[in-house]
Amino acid sequence: MGQIKVKGTMQRVAMFDEDRVIGHVMHYSTLGEDEIVSYAAQTAHIPESTLLASTLAIREAIAFFVLNGHHVDLGKFGIFGIRSKQKAATDAEEVDPDLVKHLTVGFKPSVEIKQAINALHIEIEV
């Protein structure tokens, strides 16, 4: 089970026109590829070089499939895919690429990840 820390900070809340204490999740450092590969290699008892090569190949495969319109299901982690916002047309003959206003990569967490988040222990930092 995971644990996160929440710290309260005083800030202006315009809706109430007053200062209130707002809880914010404390963010730690951003872990890079080296730290993830090292941790996973120790956990799986395989050489880091083998895991790094595999990680790079998986990353390339995910990018390839997502950028070609597929959704990529990463099992217990979640699903990646392209999300779009587009304008509507009055008939099929008017549909063209100019109707697409915005493309982004979307992520939908799995049920397991959602349940794990709900089970996190929250510690209040004073």
Side-chain angles (χ1 to χ4, degrees):
M1 179 161 88
Q3 175 178 318
I4 60 170
K5 291 183 181 180
V6 173
K7 184 174 186 174
T9 55
M10 185 70 72
Q11 72 182 59
R12 186 82 181 149
V13 180
M15 184 171 122
F16 299 110
D17 194 28
E18 59 186 43
D19 292 340
R20 293 203 176 176
V21 177
I22 306 293
H24 296 279
V25 172
M26 295 180 64
H27 294 279
Y28 303 105
S29 62
T30 299
L31 297 178
E33 184 177 56
D34 292 343
E35 292 90 357
I36 299 298
V37 167
S38 178
Y39 180 88
Q42 286 179 336
T43 302
H45 304 290
I46 59 175
E48 284 187 33
S49 59
T50 302
L51 188 59
L52 179 59
S54 300
T55 301
L56 294 174
I58 290 169
R59 186 173 64 193
E60 281 295 315
I62 291 169
F64 174 81
F65 288 115
V66 168
L67 294 174
N68 282 283
H70 298 275
H71 283 80
V72 177
D73 187 344
L74 298 176
K76 290 183 178 182
F77 189 63
I79 299 172
F80 284 98
I82 293 288
R83 290 188 181 164
S84 66
K85 289 189 179 185
Q86 55 278 330
K87 298 176 188 174
T90 55
D91 62 46
E93 292 176 0
E94 293 179 5
V95 175
D96 66 23
D98 292 334
L99 292 177
V100 177
K101 297 186 327 185
H102 182 74
L103 293 174
T104 187
V105 174
F107 173 72
K108 181 180 179 188
S110 69
V111 171
E112 291 90 348
I113 289 290
K114 288 179 184 178
Q115 290 171 343
I117 289 170
N118 289 335
L120 282 174
H121 173 74
I122 299 173
E123 182 179 312
I124 303 299
E125 180 84 8
V126 182

Short mmCIF file of all heavy atoms in Angstrom, two decimals, residues 11 18 23 27 31 33 36 42 49 52-53 65-66 69 72 76 79 85 89 93 98 104 109 119:
data_model
loop_
_atom_site.label_atom_id
_atom_site.label_comp_id
_atom_site.label_asym_id
_atom_site.label_seq_id
_atom_site.Cartn_x
_atom_site.Cartn_y
_atom_site.Cartn_z
N GLN A 11 -4.38 30.19 1.45
CA GLN A 11 -4.46 30.88 0.17
C GLN A 11 -5.82 31.54 0.03
O GLN A 11 -6.78 31.17 0.70
CB GLN A 11 -4.16 29.96 -1.00
CG GLN A 11 -5.22 28.94 -1.33
CD GLN A 11 -4.77 28.04 -2.47
OE1 GLN A 11 -3.76 27.38 -2.38
NE2 GLN A 11 -5.56 28.02 -3.53
N GLU A 18 -12.28 35.14 0.97
CA GLU A 18 -11.51 35.08 2.21
C GLU A 18 -10.36 34.09 2.06
O GLU A 18 -10.32 33.30 1.11
CB GLU A 18 -12.39 34.69 3.40
CG GLU A 18 -13.07 33.36 3.26
CD GLU A 18 -14.05 33.07 4.41
OE1 GLU A 18 -14.80 33.98 4.80
OE2 GLU A 18 -14.04 31.93 4.88
N GLY A 23 -5.59 22.02 1.35
CA GLY A 23 -4.66 20.89 1.37
C GLY A 23 -4.12 20.61 -0.02
O GLY A 23 -4.87 20.60 -0.99
N HIS A 27 4.48 16.92 -3.63
CA HIS A 27 5.11 16.20 -4.73
C HIS A 27 6.58 15.99 -4.42
O HIS A 27 7.25 16.87 -3.88
CB HIS A 27 4.96 16.97 -6.03
CG HIS A 27 3.53 17.07 -6.48
ND1 HIS A 27 2.89 16.06 -7.14
CD2 HIS A 27 2.62 18.05 -6.31
CE1 HIS A 27 1.64 16.42 -7.38
NE2 HIS A 27 1.45 17.62 -6.88
N LEU A 31 11.13 10.95 -10.89
CA LEU A 31 12.07 9.86 -11.12
C LEU A 31 12.33 9.70 -12.60
O LEU A 31 11.41 9.72 -13.41
CB LEU A 31 11.53 8.54 -10.55
CG LEU A 31 11.31 8.54 -9.03
CD1 LEU A 31 10.72 7.21 -8.60
CD2 LEU A 31 12.61 8.81 -8.30
N GLU A 33 14.28 7.67 -15.98
CA GLU A 33 14.35 6.31 -16.53
C GLU A 33 15.36 5.45 -15.78
O GLU A 33 15.11 4.27 -15.50
CB GLU A 33 14.72 6.41 -18.01
CG GLU A 33 14.75 5.11 -18.74
CD GLU A 33 15.06 5.33 -20.20
OE1 GLU A 33 16.11 5.94 -20.51
OE2 GLU A 33 14.25 4.90 -21.02
N ILE A 36 13.94 4.12 -12.46
CA ILE A 36 12.88 3.11 -12.69
C ILE A 36 13.50 1.80 -13.14
O ILE A 36 13.15 0.72 -12.64
CB ILE A 36 11.86 3.62 -13.74
CG1 ILE A 36 11.18 4.91 -13.27
CG2 ILE A 36 10.84 2.55 -14.09
CD1 ILE A 36 10.37 4.77 -12.01
N GLN A 42 16.28 -4.77 -10.10
CA GLN A 42 16.48 -5.43 -8.80
C GLN A 42 15.28 -6.30 -8.44
O GLN A 42 15.45 -7.41 -7.94
CB GLN A 42 16.71 -4.39 -7.70
CG GLN A 42 18.07 -3.74 -7.75
CD GLN A 42 18.23 -2.70 -6.65
OE1 GLN A 42 17.26 -2.16 -6.13
NE2 GLN A 42 19.49 -2.43 -6.30
N SER A 49 20.99 -3.67 -17.99
CA SER A 49 21.15 -3.47 -19.44
C SER A 49 20.06 -4.20 -20.22
O SER A 49 19.54 -3.68 -21.20
CB SER A 49 22.53 -3.95 -19.91
OG SER A 49 22.70 -5.32 -19.60
N LEU A 52 16.83 -2.22 -19.61
CA LEU A 52 16.86 -0.95 -20.32
C LEU A 52 16.54 -1.15 -21.80
O LEU A 52 15.72 -0.42 -22.37
CB LEU A 52 18.21 -0.26 -20.17
CG LEU A 52 18.36 1.08 -20.89
CD1 LEU A 52 17.31 2.08 -20.41
CD2 LEU A 52 19.76 1.63 -20.70
N ALA A 53 17.13 -2.17 -22.41
CA ALA A 53 16.85 -2.45 -23.83
C ALA A 53 15.38 -2.79 -24.02
O ALA A 53 14.74 -2.33 -24.98
CB ALA A 53 17.74 -3.59 -24.32
N PHE A 65 2.21 2.61 -31.85
CA PHE A 65 0.81 2.23 -31.94
C PHE A 65 -0.13 3.38 -31.57
O PHE A 65 -1.14 3.60 -32.24
CB PHE A 65 0.53 0.99 -31.10
CG PHE A 65 1.10 -0.26 -31.70
CD1 PHE A 65 2.10 -0.97 -31.06
CD2 PHE A 65 0.66 -0.72 -32.93
CE1 PHE A 65 2.64 -2.11 -31.62
CE2 PHE A 65 1.20 -1.87 -33.51
CZ PHE A 65 2.19 -2.56 -32.85
N VAL A 66 0.20 4.13 -30.53
CA VAL A 66 -0.65 5.27 -30.15
C VAL A 66 -0.69 6.31 -31.26
O VAL A 66 -1.75 6.81 -31.62
CB VAL A 66 -0.18 5.89 -28.81
CG1 VAL A 66 -0.85 7.23 -28.56
CG2 VAL A 66 -0.47 4.94 -27.65
N GLY A 69 -3.12 5.62 -34.10
CA GLY A 69 -4.55 5.53 -33.83
C GLY A 69 -5.02 4.41 -32.93
O GLY A 69 -6.22 4.27 -32.70
N VAL A 72 -3.48 1.55 -26.42
CA VAL A 72 -2.53 0.57 -25.91
C VAL A 72 -2.91 0.26 -24.46
O VAL A 72 -2.86 1.12 -23.60
CB VAL A 72 -1.08 1.08 -26.01
CG1 VAL A 72 -0.12 0.08 -25.40
CG2 VAL A 72 -0.72 1.36 -27.46
N LYS A 76 -2.60 -3.82 -15.75
CA LYS A 76 -2.94 -3.25 -14.45
C LYS A 76 -2.62 -1.76 -14.35
O LYS A 76 -3.03 -1.11 -13.39
CB LYS A 76 -2.20 -3.99 -13.34
CG LYS A 76 -2.71 -5.39 -13.12
CD LYS A 76 -2.00 -6.05 -11.96
CE LYS A 76 -2.54 -7.43 -11.72
NZ LYS A 76 -1.90 -8.08 -10.59
N ILE A 79 -4.68 2.45 -19.87
CA ILE A 79 -4.74 2.49 -21.34
C ILE A 79 -4.33 3.87 -21.84
O ILE A 79 -4.82 4.89 -21.34
CB ILE A 79 -6.16 2.16 -21.83
CG1 ILE A 79 -6.57 0.76 -21.37
CG2 ILE A 79 -6.26 2.29 -23.34
CD1 ILE A 79 -8.02 0.43 -21.66
N LYS A 85 -10.33 16.79 -30.05
CA LYS A 85 -11.46 17.70 -30.05
C LYS A 85 -11.58 18.19 -31.47
O LYS A 85 -10.59 18.56 -32.10
CB LYS A 85 -11.24 18.87 -29.09
CG LYS A 85 -11.30 18.46 -27.65
CD LYS A 85 -11.28 19.66 -26.74
CE LYS A 85 -11.38 19.21 -25.30
NZ LYS A 85 -11.49 20.31 -24.37
N ALA A 89 -19.46 18.96 -38.48
CA ALA A 89 -19.81 19.31 -39.86
C ALA A 89 -21.29 19.01 -40.06
O ALA A 89 -21.88 18.18 -39.37
CB ALA A 89 -18.96 18.49 -40.83
N GLU A 93 -19.62 15.14 -46.44
CA GLU A 93 -18.73 15.72 -47.46
C GLU A 93 -17.87 16.86 -46.90
O GLU A 93 -16.84 17.19 -47.47
CB GLU A 93 -19.55 16.20 -48.65
CG GLU A 93 -20.18 15.07 -49.44
CD GLU A 93 -21.07 15.57 -50.57
OE1 GLU A 93 -21.19 16.81 -50.73
OE2 GLU A 93 -21.63 14.72 -51.26
N ASP A 98 -9.12 19.68 -41.23
CA ASP A 98 -9.20 21.01 -40.63
C ASP A 98 -10.23 21.09 -39.50
O ASP A 98 -10.21 22.03 -38.71
CB ASP A 98 -9.53 22.07 -41.69
CG ASP A 98 -8.39 22.26 -42.68
OD1 ASP A 98 -7.23 22.00 -42.30
OD2 ASP A 98 -8.66 22.66 -43.82
N THR A 104 -4.31 15.11 -28.31
CA THR A 104 -3.48 14.89 -27.14
C THR A 104 -3.44 13.40 -26.83
O THR A 104 -4.26 12.63 -27.33
CB THR A 104 -3.99 15.69 -25.93
OG1 THR A 104 -3.05 15.57 -24.85
CG2 THR A 104 -5.35 15.20 -25.46
N PRO A 109 -6.65 5.25 -16.24
CA PRO A 109 -6.10 4.27 -15.30
C PRO A 109 -6.98 3.04 -15.19
O PRO A 109 -8.20 3.11 -15.38
CB PRO A 109 -6.05 5.03 -13.97
CG PRO A 109 -6.95 6.19 -14.13
CD PRO A 109 -7.08 6.48 -15.58
N ALA A 119 -7.02 3.40 -1.78
CA ALA A 119 -6.51 2.76 -0.58
C ALA A 119 -5.27 3.44 -0.02
O ALA A 119 -4.73 3.00 1.00
CB ALA A 119 -6.22 1.28 -0.86
#
